[in-house]
Amino acid sequence: MVRAWTSFTGTTVVKPGLFAWSWLVERRVYRLMFLLFAGLQVADVITTNFALGVRGIWEANPIVAFAQAHLGEAWWLPKLGVVGIVFLIAPMTKRLWPMAFAVSYYAVIVCDNIAWTTL
């Protein structure tokens, strides 16, 4: 794979064999977002399982509800696949806002799950 970009002088710089992961290593904030995203996925699974044990609580996401109905305790396996795809594709965008949005979204979901279990 060849990566090319335009330098400040207007010339094109080409480096063969580099992948977007090398860019990811240089970005501490992006790595932190990845860690937060992974941690929030685990927290989402744990808090969802806990919240579903509360009487009157059900899964609002129809895709996850389908997975829960057909896979039982292993309902989180399709979620693991989606998270793996996000981990592969996200570094290629080289933008921070998609990961920031995903982290914010899942932080709200985890907080919502915790709020429902405390009722």
Side-chain angles (χ1 to χ4, degrees):
M1 176 179 214
V2 176
R3 241 175 57 181
W5 65 92
T6 304
S7 67
F8 290 113
T9 60
T11 59
T12 301
V13 178
V14 177
K15 287 191 175 182
L18 286 181
F19 185 64
W21 289 103
S22 62
W23 170 84
L24 178 65
V25 172
E26 299 169 8
R27 303 281 310 254
R28 289 184 182 177
V29 173
Y30 209 82
R31 287 188 303 186
L32 178 63
M33 289 288 182
F34 262 92
L35 290 174
L36 285 171
F37 184 73
L40 285 168
Q41 296 306 307
V42 172
D44 181 36
V45 170
I46 292 169
T47 58
T48 298
N49 281 336
F50 190 72
L52 290 174
V54 175
R55 183 179 163 129
I57 302 295
W58 66 91
E59 177 59 51
N61 183 342
I63 297 170
V64 175
F66 179 82
Q68 289 170 343
H70 288 83
L71 298 176
E73 291 293 320
W75 67 268
W76 53 271
L77 288 175
K79 183 180 185 97
L80 182 67
V82 171
V83 169
I85 291 171
V86 168
F87 274 18
L88 289 175
I89 293 175
M92 293 179 196
T93 65
K94 295 185 181 181
R95 291 192 167 94
L96 188 58
W97 73 264
M99 280 306 287
F101 176 78
V103 166
S104 302
Y105 179 75
Y106 275 100
V108 169
I109 289 175
V110 169
C111 289
D112 186 54
N113 286 347
I114 292 170
W116 279 110
T117 58
T118 58
L119 292 178

